[in-house]
């Protein structure tokens, strides 16, 4: 087990103690941020020369799960934000120096949805737009944003060009009242607005470069295998790891809750064989989700390590399995929550918070059962997916 995974496991009970405060604040508590930084979770995928570990993605996924086991919102922020140092490693070294030169614990936010238009000007671009779902943004000093290249009228150019751009905190506005939700409240996934900020060219990267993996790594002169992985393999990994960790936390909360509970009929719940069977089945399903997720990323990493190409089929099957892992884990949470009795819905119970967090985590676009599953099925039929069926794979 990686040392950071051990530390993440050690801080999970403390994160659990701060979970209610985190939810009430609508962002991670200061104490939670300090614990995560001390454990080094956000630096697992960061380059070694900037205080990171360039770790195996399995170690990253396991650390995120441990954090989410204690606090769903903390796990989610680690899962999303922990991937950003991986992509930053693919950017211009000048930008990496700007981000980490004075503080190697600097956090970076996102989102990647191309919700803004970048107009090309001398030396770079001028960016305008509004983005939703910037998880953990209150604790970050930089942000990755998705953008389309537009003409001077603000319309996307043809052929279509999309890219990721990076801005410092002074160049965007966080919309404070934009995160009022039923679950993952503590992630503080607020909207951000950019109004005419200049983005120098070295703070941009084409989405097609990171999609394949190898292209961006070669441009950045990164030889470590982890930086050659495809974007749509790495980014979903962090998010689904958080969901699986939340499911594990829900299972533990359910066990603690049911151990001494007496049902409305006066019997001990732990003597009810139907409840015990549901616990056993749910525990197995959550464990299967963990194993399938970690197996998928390991298979792709092993191909890169061996110098073998990662095919579109490899990526599609990994995405299919990653999506299924998330849904299987949340279905298992539903099965145990349904047997927890009426008092489980009270807001002072840990279980209901995990249940809400799990369902909101499932709402992320990378968990949609649409094109990724369709593409994987077509490949198994010997049909090459085209057009929109190749999106986010």
């Amino acid at each position: 087990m990686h040392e950071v995974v051990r530390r993440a496991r050690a801080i999970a009970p403390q994160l659990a103690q701060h979970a209610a405060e985190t939810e009430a604040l609508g962002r991670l508590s200061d104490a939670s941020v300090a614990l995560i930084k001390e454990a080094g979770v956000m630096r697992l995928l960061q380059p070694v020369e900037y205080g990171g570990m360039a770790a195996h993605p399995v170690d990253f996924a396991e650390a995120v799960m441990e954090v989410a086991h204690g606090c769903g919102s903390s796990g989610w922020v680690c899962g999303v934000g922990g991937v950003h140092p991986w992509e930053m490693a693919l950017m211009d070294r000048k930008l990496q120096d700007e981000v980490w030169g004075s503080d190697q614990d600097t956090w970076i936010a996102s989102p990647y949805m191309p919700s803004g238009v970048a107009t090309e000007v001398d030396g770079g671009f001028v960016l305008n737009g509004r983005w939703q779902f910037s998880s953990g943004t209150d604790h970050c000093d930089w942000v990755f944003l998705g953008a389309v290249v537009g003409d001077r009228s603000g319309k996307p150019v043809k052929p279509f060009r999309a890219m990721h751009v990076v801005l410092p905190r002074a160049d965007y506005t966080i919309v404070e009242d934009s995160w009022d939700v039923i679950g993952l409240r503590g992630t503080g996934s607020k909207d951000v607005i950019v109004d005419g900020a200049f983005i120098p060219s070295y703070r941009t990267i084409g989405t097609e470069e990171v999609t394949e993996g190898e292209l961006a790594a070669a441009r950045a002169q990164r030889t470590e295998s982890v930086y050659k992985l495809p974007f749509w393999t790495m980014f979903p990994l962090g998010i689904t790891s958080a969901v699986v960790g939340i499911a594990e936390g829900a299972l533990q909360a359910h066990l603690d809750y049911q151990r001494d509970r007496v049902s409305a009929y006066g019997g001990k719940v732990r003597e009810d064989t139907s409840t015990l069977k549901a616990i056993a089945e749910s525990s197995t399903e959550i464990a299967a989700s963990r194993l399938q997720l970690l197996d998928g990323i390991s298979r792709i990493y092993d191909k890169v390590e061996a110098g073998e190409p990662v095919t579109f089929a490899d990526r599609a099957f990994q995405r299919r399995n990653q999506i299924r892992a998330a849904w299987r884990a949340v279905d298992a949470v539903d099965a145990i929550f349904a047997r927890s009795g009426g008092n489980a819905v009270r807001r002072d119970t840990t279980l209901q918070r995990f249940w809400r967090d799990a369902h909101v985590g499932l709402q992320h676009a990378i968990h949609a059962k649409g094109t990724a599953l369709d593409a994987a099925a077509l490949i198994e039929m010997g049909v090459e997916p085209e057009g929109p069926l190749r999106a986010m794979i």
Side-chain angles (χ1 to χ4, degrees):
M1 181 184 292
H2 195 284
E3 178 59 31
V4 172
V5 179
R6 289 194 183 92
R7 291 183 210 147
R9 179 172 294 179
I11 66 170
Q14 298 172 72
L15 292 171
Q17 293 174 3
H18 297 293
E21 179 190 2
T22 282
E23 181 164 76
L25 289 170
R27 60 169 176 79
L28 300 191
S29 71
D30 293 342
S32 296
V33 171
L35 287 166
I36 292 166
K37 286 187 175 182
E38 184 177 357
V41 177
M42 290 292 203
R43 289 187 285 110
L44 273 166
L45 300 179
Q46 198 160 306
V48 172
E49 65 267 32
Y50 292 103
M53 300 156 217
H56 194 294
V58 164
D59 296 325
F60 167 67
E62 290 186 326
V64 170
M65 291 177 190
E66 294 294 344
V67 172
H69 191 137
C71 171
S73 289
S74 296
W76 184 270
V77 171
C78 288
V80 175
V83 175
H84 298 150
W86 169 84
E87 185 173 5
M88 184 57 66
L90 305 175
M91 303 295 291
D92 192 293
R93 296 299 172 102
K94 180 179 178 180
L95 176 59
Q96 295 175 51
D97 288 339
E98 290 173 344
V99 173
W100 290 314
S102 60
D103 183 1
Q104 295 179 341
D105 274 320
T106 296
W107 288 8
I108 311 162
S110 55
Y112 292 107
M113 183 66 71
S115 300
V117 176
T119 301
E120 198 160 8
V121 296
D122 290 343
F125 302 83
V126 172
L127 182 68
N128 290 279
R130 180 168 179 153
W131 292 257
Q132 296 180 312
F133 307 115
S134 185
S135 297
T137 197
D138 288 300
H139 312 289
C140 299
D141 295 317
W142 293 79
V143 67
F144 272 107
L145 296 173
V148 296
V149 178
D151 59 26
R152 294 192 180 277
S153 68
K155 295 180 180 179
V157 298
K158 294 181 180 180
F160 179 83
R161 289 169 57 197
M163 60 184 179
H164 297 165
V165 302
V166 182
L167 289 80
R169 181 66 187 83
D171 287 355
Y172 59 94
T173 301
I174 297 172
V175 183
E176 290 298 336
D177 61 351
S178 57
W179 187 242
D180 186 10
V181 291
I182 62 171
L184 293 175
R185 292 178 60 86
T187 64
S189 301
K190 302 170 183 177
D191 295 8
V192 297
I193 295 174
V194 178
D195 184 11
F198 173 70
I199 317 287
S201 296
Y202 72 89
R203 292 183 186 166
T204 71
I205 190 169
T207 56
E208 72 284 351
E209 293 184 60
V210 291
T211 295
E212 298 292 339
E214 292 278 359
L215 185 59
R219 191 187 78 161
Q221 299 182 321
R222 290 288 178 190
T223 59
E224 305 96 325
S225 294
V226 66
Y227 299 122
K228 298 178 183 179
L229 293 167
F231 177 84
W232 290 114
T233 297
M234 289 297 291
F235 183 59
L237 174 68
I239 295 172
T240 304
S241 296
V243 170
V244 172
I246 289 167
E248 292 174 335
L251 175 63
Q252 186 60 57
H254 179 74
L255 295 172
D256 294 341
Y257 181 66
Q258 296 283 50
R259 188 175 295 112
D260 298 315
R261 179 172 162 250
V262 176
S263 73
Y265 301 103
K268 292 182 178 179
V269 171
R270 66 173 182 244
E271 296 172 355
D272 177 10
T273 57
S274 64
T275 298
L276 296 177
K277 187 176 296 183
I279 290 172
E281 290 177 348
S282 294
S283 180
T284 300
E285 290 300 289
I286 294 168
S289 295
R290 167 187 273 260
L291 290 172
Q292 189 172 36
L293 183 65
L294 298 181
D295 175 74
I297 189 62
S298 294
R299 287 175 183 271
I300 290 183
Y301 183 90
D302 289 347
K303 291 195 75 170
V304 171
E305 186 82 348
E308 299 174 10
V310 177
T311 66
F312 181 79
D314 292 329
R315 304 198 319 252
F317 292 149
Q318 193 273 343
R319 282 280 283 125
R320 174 200 65 190
N321 293 347
Q322 164 254 319
I323 291 168
R324 185 70 195 114
W327 281 85
R328 183 192 297 112
V330 178
D331 286 346
V333 172
D334 282 344
I336 54 177
F337 190 75
R339 289 167 174 81
S340 296
N343 282 318
V345 304
R346 297 186 183 278
R347 292 186 67 88
D348 62 352
T349 66
T350 302
L351 181 57
Q352 56 80 29
R353 184 172 60 246
F354 277 124
W355 182 76
R356 289 185 287 108
D357 288 350
H359 278 276
V360 172
L362 205 58
Q363 294 296 112
H364 194 285
I366 61 100
H367 291 140
K369 290 184 177 181
T371 56
L373 298 190
D374 293 345
L378 286 172
I379 291 169
E380 290 193 294
M381 292 180 184
V383 178
E384 186 69 16
E386 297 180 354
L389 290 177
R390 302 179 75 86
M392 294 200 298
I393 295 176

